[in-house]
Amino acid sequence: MDERPAPVRARLHPLTFVVGAAREMVALLAAGAAGLAVGGLSTAFFFTLIGLGLGLAFHVIAWATFTYTVYEDRIELRRSLIGRSVTTIPRERIRGVDISATLPHRLLRLAIVHIDAGADGGEGTLNAVARHEADRLRGVLLGRGPGALGEAEPRRVLARMPPRWFVFAPLSGAYLLTPFALAGSLIGTLYNLSDDLGLITRERLSDLGHELVGLPTGTVLALAVLFLLAMPVTSALAFAAFNWDFRVYARDGSVVAERGLVTRRSVSLERRRIRGVELTDNPFERLAGVQRLGALVTGLGDAVQRGRLFPAAPRRTAVDLAGRVLGPVPGPLVRHPPAARGRRIVRAVAPPLGLAVLAVFTGQSWLAYAFLGLSVLAVPLGVDRYRQLGHATDESRLAVRSGSLRRRLVVVDHDAVVGWRLRRTLFQRRLGLATLDVAVGAGEGGYPAVDMAEHDAVAFAARITPTWVEPFLDGERRP
């Protein structure tokens, strides 16, 4: 006789509507304050208060009409605000359960649970539940069973980012451009707000332009220097906000990456679904000995963000973490033949050189000289692209590397390889080269080993999956 307890239909935490109303209150009160400052206690301000009340009522009704139920084989999310909606997510398709908490959530000891089941299984979000309920749901939905949470193994820290590594932020272009993004967003917001309130006129814009043009040269240079100095500082601050106390630990058969200062996010990746890792860097990071680490996970949605294991770390730390998550990285890498050097240089030089020729035909001599200069600078770029090419394999994993401005070393389990694709262009055939695409059921789906020697490409594939390749080799050997 089955004595297992029946599934219980649960609701979100009662403070859920408070979090939603608080998020909208900031925008509504800001609009009301602007209306009050410009036109006094006007109709717009009353509409703001009415909007706040309607928003609060909506969140209360949404909380009262939403439930979720965890079964042995699925989780169901039910909504009945206007029409009835039932979302069913099979537990066997769940790829990950992420827990995040914004500042209001953290103050109220709540968390957001995001369930990712890939493209076929769909996804669901519980906003918001108590923190202990979020941990319980993660343990249950990732296959450890309803009672497994109490028997869970203690988490084992794999890596942790100390604050001194925040100095690596300016090495990444995304964080270095943070001042421009902030300035553009602020200027756009002020422009739209001022335009709506009638604060911007042609005369005022003209006066502002004359004032900027009339500034002394020393003042302009000082402002430019201050802005350039602010770039690394703001990039480090943005890096710290997103990656504060970044830690990676193992627990219950999963690798968990936790990070964030204002919004704390915890991403769980099941070890059995991690099929490889990716080590990336740019020229500045290479000079500093820094690499970024990501995981290649089967069926993972938003793989760029959710698969990130470490944003920036010394190369040895990143490689050690890759070994703890997947296994030792194969090496040393086998260099590709010298014939590949010419192809890398030609492919780097050809675009600016072609534009220079086009500029000559159109009579733009200064533009032609500029593109010729870029062509000369592209030669060392092509040489470096060749130097970064490489491949290796051992008994369990393979590795392929390529790229210069964004160098990428991909390490994949042999069991994750689902196919091979050998590509040879006309120029590659004349040089005895080939590009071998490694098809993988994770990440981007395929990773190229660029400009290998043709016989090396075939031997590389045959060493990893001999039963797939040998029939084709036998066919070629027949007279």
Side-chain angles (χ1 to χ4, degrees):
M1 182 177 179
D2 191 357
E3 298 181 354
R4 287 172 294 186
V8 178
R9 183 174 297 181
R11 296 186 185 276
L12 300 179
H13 197 279
L15 294 178
T16 300
F17 65 88
V18 177
V19 175
R23 184 173 59 249
E24 295 178 359
M25 186 184 299
V26 176
L28 290 171
L29 291 181
L36 184 62
V38 174
L41 196 60
S42 61
T43 306
F45 184 69
F46 288 110
F47 275 131
T48 301
L49 295 179
I50 293 173
L52 179 60
L54 292 177
L56 181 60
F58 172 80
H59 286 292
V60 171
I61 296 173
W63 169 81
T65 56
F66 178 85
T67 60
Y68 65 93
T69 309
V70 180
Y71 297 90
E72 288 189 0
D73 59 343
R74 69 191 187 280
I75 179 173
E76 288 186 353
L77 312 178
R78 293 178 177 269
R79 293 178 176 86
S80 56
L81 180 57
I82 298 177
R84 185 178 297 275
S85 172
V86 180
T87 302
T88 301
I89 304 177
R91 287 175 57 179
E92 63 180 8
R93 292 187 177 274
I94 294 177
R95 302 294 188 261
V97 178
D98 300 344
I99 299 176
S100 60
T102 64
L103 183 58
H105 288 85
R106 295 171 67 182
L107 292 176
L108 298 173
R109 297 183 181 276
L110 302 178
I112 304 170
V113 178
H114 178 78
I115 306 168
D116 181 19
D120 296 332
E123 61 181 19
T125 301
L126 302 178
N127 184 5
V129 298
R131 180 68 198 199
H132 63 84
E133 173 67 2
D135 291 333
R136 187 190 73 85
L137 286 173
R138 175 163 56 184
V140 171
L141 295 177
L142 290 181
R144 260 64 72 185
L149 191 60
E151 303 172 1
E153 64 181 55
R155 66 182 188 179
R156 178 169 53 91
V157 177
L158 301 179
R160 187 171 182 176
M161 173 178 289
R164 66 176 180 273
W165 290 357
F166 293 164
V167 298
F168 298 146
L171 302 177
S172 174
Y175 289 105
L176 193 61
L177 297 178
T178 300
F180 296 98
L182 292 176
S185 177
L186 180 60
I187 292 174
T189 301
L190 293 177
Y191 179 84
N192 292 330
L193 182 60
S194 301
D195 188 30
D196 293 338
L197 299 177
L199 301 179
I200 291 181
T201 62
R202 290 187 177 181
E203 292 76 10
R204 291 179 180 179
L205 289 176
S206 178
D207 293 341
L208 179 61
H210 287 303
E211 291 176 1
L212 292 177
V213 173
L215 289 176
T217 304
T219 302
V220 174
L221 292 177
L223 291 175
V225 170
L226 287 175
F227 188 79
L228 291 176
L229 292 177
M231 291 176 63
V233 175
T234 54
S235 66
L237 293 176
F239 186 89
F242 286 107
N243 302 299
W244 182 265
D245 195 20
F246 199 116
R247 63 181 70 182
V248 183
Y249 55 87
R251 185 179 65 181
D252 297 337
S254 297
V255 175
V256 183
E258 189 174 303
R259 64 183 184 271
L261 179 60
V262 179
T263 298
R264 193 72 180 164
R265 187 178 185 186
S266 176
V267 179
S268 299
L269 306 174
E270 287 190 275
R271 279 187 178 272
R272 63 189 180 92
R273 298 188 186 275
I274 298 178
R275 313 314 306 271
V277 294
E278 182 180 71
L279 292 157
T280 59
D281 55 31
N282 59 43
F284 300 107
E285 291 170 330
R286 278 202 298 279
L287 290 174
V290 175
Q291 284 188 322
R292 288 162 281 140
L293 179 65
L296 309 180
V297 184
T298 304
L300 184 67
D302 190 16
V304 175
Q305 294 297 325
R306 298 187 64 241
R308 184 171 56 168
L309 290 179
F310 237 49
R315 183 177 296 113
R316 178 174 297 180
T317 301
V319 173
D320 288 345
L321 180 58
R324 295 179 184 180
V325 172
L326 185 70
V329 177
L333 298 179
V334 178
R335 300 191 65 175
H336 291 192
R341 183 191 302 114
R343 277 182 51 80
R344 295 299 97 199
I345 295 176
V346 169
R347 291 175 71 90
V349 172
L353 188 60
L355 292 174
V357 173
L358 183 61
V360 170
F361 281 110
T362 57
Q364 303 291 334
S365 58
W366 66 272
L367 199 56
Y369 286 120
F371 284 126
L372 283 176
L374 290 177
S375 302
V376 175
L377 295 177
V379 174
L381 175 62
V383 174
D384 189 61
R385 285 179 176 176
Y386 165 72
R387 291 179 55 198
Q388 305 307 330
L389 296 178
H391 64 277
T393 186
D394 56 19
E395 299 303 321
S396 303
R397 285 163 291 277
L398 65 90
V400 293
R401 191 180 69 184
S402 62
S404 176
L405 298 180
R406 181 179 180 267
R407 186 177 68 168
R408 179 170 67 172
L409 174 65
V410 177
V411 183
V412 178
D413 276 332
H414 288 179
D415 296 338
V417 178
V418 297
W420 304 97
R421 181 187 177 196
L422 191 68
R423 294 184 286 123
R424 295 172 293 175
T425 65
L426 175 63
F427 299 103
Q428 283 180 314
R429 287 199 297 269
R430 295 184 61 181
L431 297 173
L433 301 176
T435 295
L436 181 66
D437 290 323
V438 185
V440 183
E444 297 179 4
Y447 299 93
V450 182
D451 286 342
M452 298 177 64
E454 188 174 344
H455 57 86
D456 286 344
V458 176
F460 186 68
R463 180 180 174 184
I464 297 169
T465 57
T467 57
W468 297 358
V469 181
E470 285 178 358
F472 298 96
L473 296 178
D474 293 340
E476 291 182 358
R477 292 166 183 165
R478 293 169 186 167

